[in-house]
Amino acid sequence: MLDARYETPLKLYPYTRSADQDADRPARHPVVIVGGGPVGLVLALDLGLRGVPALVLDDHDGVGIGSRAICFAKRTLEIAHRLGCAAEMVEKGVVWNVGKVFHGERQIYEFNLQPEEGHRHPAFINLQQYYFERFLVNRIRQAQKTGAPIDIRGRNRVTAFAQDNTTLTVETPEGPYTLQADWVIACDGARSPLRQMLGLGFEGRVFEDNFLIADVRMAAEFPTERWFWFEPPFEGAGQSALLHKQPDDVWRIDFQLGWDIDRGAELAEHKVRARVDAMLGPGVDYELEWTSIYTFQCRRMDRFRHGNVLFAGDAAHQVSPFGARGANSGVQDADNLGWKLAAVLNGEASTSLLDSYEVERMYAADENILNSTRATDFLTPKSEMSHIFRNAVLELARDHPFARPLVNSGRLSVPTVYDDLPLNGPDDLPGAPDASRVGAACPDAPLGNGFLLDQIGGQCALIALDTDVPAMDGLGVTVLRVDTVTAPLLRDRLLGDAATGVYLVRPDQHIAARWSSVDRAAVAQALATVMGRAA
């Protein structure tokens, strides 16, 4: 008989008995990923496409209830495109670039996150997390058919872990078994059981205010924009409210409830409906699809690598949901870790390269936590004076553009630039845009019949813009020569005022070095830096 505690609404990987459960001794796997959410699935898919065997252990057998993460940023879509599942996300998702900010009944201003043309992907799509997970699993199934060594085991819950011999005890509906791993990646969420098994801390700041999520299904004619209210005019909304659209006529509504609340009472259907009715007005027909209450939490682990155990996503760091940094930063964790782990397991780099995962993604987590904390402080003023200041900024912002950058309704997620970190090479291209500096994610732009990032792929690439480079045979780098006369947006985004340029791009499509011109020795040195070894 199967154990009911493992049941999930949508079974993507139902429990089946594995050969490991019948083995005489614990089977050993190169990589075991604990957790089958977006971060674990992205990492498994990336590793599998690189030929690295990846085993995912998930305590359920598919996606959970509720939309949870819904805002997926352009960089996440670029990563998903490289892995082969962005098209489904964009087709199903609700595309938006425009946001509007209100104070009371008055609109203060609006913004466009992507006003220019020439981008494959929008600034953001809204898409329920369960769709993202479904598309990832579907892509993994396709990759398995072409030989990608990926295994997902549903209803396989890790209950014990011995780090000295990297042995995991796994509970299933048919009883426990053990297995071993060369590397274990914890992608098991903010309450990470694996982190607790290792006795590791998760420190930071927990904000007192509570926020109610109400996912409402209705046929409404609101535009597909992000609407945010400070001191909204409708009853019961608290100090702020947020409205934006998801697929299937579902709308995400957030209400700020304050800190001293009875969670059970606030989640009662009649109480939730009273708030939604006040916001939408009389006579609006809707269904409550999902409700939840959350607090803002900004915290992270002191270290993301503990020997041969690495932590990613919410298991490693947690930020408040306003700004869409949770899932997006977790996917970028997986994007950063995948190529490095593959390089180590394929003998192309030493294990010290994995230290750079910790350095870079802790740097990113600190940036996200800083932005998230600032947003939370602006949303929830803690004193009468801070409230007066906040509202004065809002009043100024209505008529004066200089004040708008001070308004913080949740600065939206952008990829972290790894400024001055150990894997960076030279930044020697005077006149080039700051946005494409060393450490930044490489900007995309139309090129030929496709886009630049298509031709870069997931390996080290050298982009020669309006110049030639010597032969790079034997260095393990793909060379792409571009005449920017036929790619003017690419010139704008990578050259700016520079006449020519050469870019070295890492396998995760972050810029590793750039020069006006370059020789083979300089490229070899920069590649050695990227791989964490001396030339």
Side-chain angles (χ1 to χ4, degrees):
M1 178 179 295
L2 297 182
D3 191 333
R5 67 183 168 174
Y6 291 96
E7 295 296 330
T8 47
L10 179 60
K11 298 181 180 181
L12 295 177
Y13 31 88
Y15 170 77
T16 58
R17 189 172 184 86
S18 70
D20 289 356
Q21 291 169 258
D22 299 315
D24 294 333
R25 62 184 64 183
R28 190 164 192 91
H29 296 265
V31 179
V32 171
I33 298 167
V34 181
V39 179
L41 293 174
V42 166
L43 180 58
L45 180 54
D46 195 7
L47 288 170
L49 292 175
R50 297 180 187 279
V52 174
L55 168 61
V56 179
L57 302 176
D58 194 32
D59 57 354
H60 292 82
D61 51 12
V63 300
I65 61 172
S67 58
R68 294 169 291 161
I70 66 167
C71 292
F72 294 99
K74 181 172 181 282
R75 182 60 195 143
T76 295
L77 295 175
E78 290 170 349
I79 295 167
H81 181 80
R82 177 175 64 79
L83 299 176
C85 57
E88 295 88 342
M89 294 176 67
V90 175
E91 181 180 2
K92 182 64 180 178
V94 173
V95 173
W96 66 276
N97 293 313
V98 173
K100 293 180 179 177
V101 180
F102 302 85
H103 186 199
E105 296 181 345
R106 296 182 301 172
Q107 179 179 322
I108 302 173
Y109 67 94
E110 66 178 63
F111 57 85
N112 188 336
L113 294 170
Q114 192 163 281
E116 62 180 4
E117 298 296 324
H119 294 272
R120 178 193 293 277
H121 296 115
F124 276 88
I125 64 167
N126 285 356
L127 180 74
Q128 293 93 326
Q129 181 174 318
Y130 49 73
Y131 280 121
F132 185 26
E133 292 175 357
R134 184 190 302 181
F135 298 148
L136 285 167
V137 172
N138 290 345
R139 179 68 184 100
I140 286 172
R141 298 302 185 211
Q142 292 173 357
Q144 288 172 329
K145 292 178 181 178
T146 59
I150 308 169
D151 186 6
I152 308 177
R153 297 182 188 172
R155 302 184 183 185
N156 276 240
R157 181 168 58 94
V158 176
T159 57
F161 178 61
Q163 190 173 14
D164 56 348
N165 58 4
T166 327
T167 298
L168 301 99
T169 301
V170 184
E171 181 67 43
T172 77
E174 297 180 322
Y177 71 103
T178 59
L179 54 81
Q180 295 179 331
D182 295 331
W183 296 94
V184 175
I185 316 301
C187 303
D188 51 347
R191 294 184 177 89
S192 178
L194 195 59
R195 188 182 63 233
Q196 295 174 23
M197 291 174 199
L198 293 175
L200 301 173
F202 199 44
E203 303 302 324
R205 182 176 174 188
V206 178
F207 294 84
E208 293 178 337
D209 272 73
N210 294 272
F211 291 78
L212 170 69
I213 290 176
D215 277 358
V216 171
R217 187 184 298 273
M218 62 181 176
E221 296 184 358
F222 300 118
T224 54
E225 300 169 344
R226 180 186 191 264
W227 287 6
F228 189 94
W229 287 264
F230 291 95
E231 299 182 339
F234 24 92
E235 183 179 355
Q239 291 189 36
S240 66
L242 176 68
L243 172 71
H244 49 167
K245 187 179 181 180
Q246 306 173 57
D248 305 329
D249 290 325
V250 177
W251 295 78
R252 164 66 57 84
I253 304 174
D254 287 62
F255 297 110
Q256 183 177 347
L257 301 183
W259 68 274
D260 189 12
I261 67 166
D262 181 332
R263 286 195 168 205
E266 294 294 346
L267 285 171
E269 182 173 343
H270 74 277
K271 195 79 175 283
V272 175
R273 284 189 173 275
R275 297 185 192 278
V276 175
D277 290 345
M279 180 181 197
L280 300 179
V284 178
D285 185 27
Y286 64 87
E287 299 176 18
L288 286 177
E289 182 171 273
W290 181 61
T291 58
S292 180
I293 288 178
Y294 63 89
T295 57
F296 281 180
Q297 301 188 39
C298 296
R299 50 186 180 168
R300 71 164 173 84
M301 298 177 66
D302 288 338
R303 303 285 306 274
F304 290 1
R305 179 185 176 189
H306 292 264
N308 57 351
V309 182
L310 297 106
F311 290 79
D314 285 352
H317 49 78
Q318 189 176 13
V319 293
S320 59
F322 283 117
R325 290 183 176 83
N328 287 299
S329 65
V331 168
Q332 290 163 39
D333 288 351
D335 187 47
N336 185 289
L337 179 57
W339 70 272
K340 295 175 179 177
L341 194 53
V344 170
L345 286 166
N346 291 334
E348 299 166 354
S350 72
T351 59
S352 63
L353 179 62
L354 297 176
D355 292 334
S356 72
Y357 163 75
E358 177 179 79
V359 170
E360 291 179 343
R361 296 315 297 167
M362 283 174 58
Y363 182 87
D366 287 342
E367 178 182 286
N368 286 326
I369 287 171
L370 176 63
N371 285 319
S372 188
T373 300
R374 287 173 173 171
T376 306
D377 286 336
F378 196 84
L379 289 170
T380 60
K382 302 303 186 294
S383 67
E384 181 180 359
M385 186 56 64
S386 61
H387 188 267
I388 291 170
F389 171 79
R390 196 274 305 274
N391 284 3
V393 169
L394 294 175
E395 288 298 311
L396 282 171
R398 189 163 70 105
D399 299 315
H400 302 286
F402 80 85
R404 291 170 189 169
L406 300 176
V407 177
N408 200 331
S409 62
R411 297 281 164 74
L412 290 160
S413 174
V414 295
T416 295
V417 179
Y418 302 134
D419 285 317
D420 302 319
L421 295 186
L423 299 192
N424 292 356
D427 195 343
D428 187 16
L429 186 55
D434 184 64
S436 60
R437 67 188 183 271
V438 171
C442 184
D444 204 7
L447 181 62
N449 295 324
F451 282 78
L452 172 66
L453 295 186
D454 294 340
Q455 299 193 38
I456 291 176
Q459 65 281 324
C460 285
L462 198 67
I463 308 169
L465 302 155
D466 297 333
T467 188
D468 202 2
V469 294
M472 299 293 168
D473 297 345
L475 292 185
V477 61
T478 298
V479 178
L480 176 63
R481 293 174 173 84
V482 178
D483 180 353
T484 63
V485 171
T486 61
L489 285 176
L490 187 57
R491 161 172 276 282
D492 291 344
R493 292 171 188 169
L494 292 185
L495 286 182
D497 295 329
T500 64
V502 181
Y503 278 76
L504 177 63
V505 182
R506 301 174 358 171
D508 59 1
Q509 299 178 342
H510 276 254
I511 295 164
R514 62 180 182 177
W515 307 266
S516 298
S517 61
V518 72
D519 58 24
R520 181 184 170 89
V523 172
Q525 177 63 56
L527 283 167
T529 300
V530 166
M531 302 307 291
R533 61 175 185 262

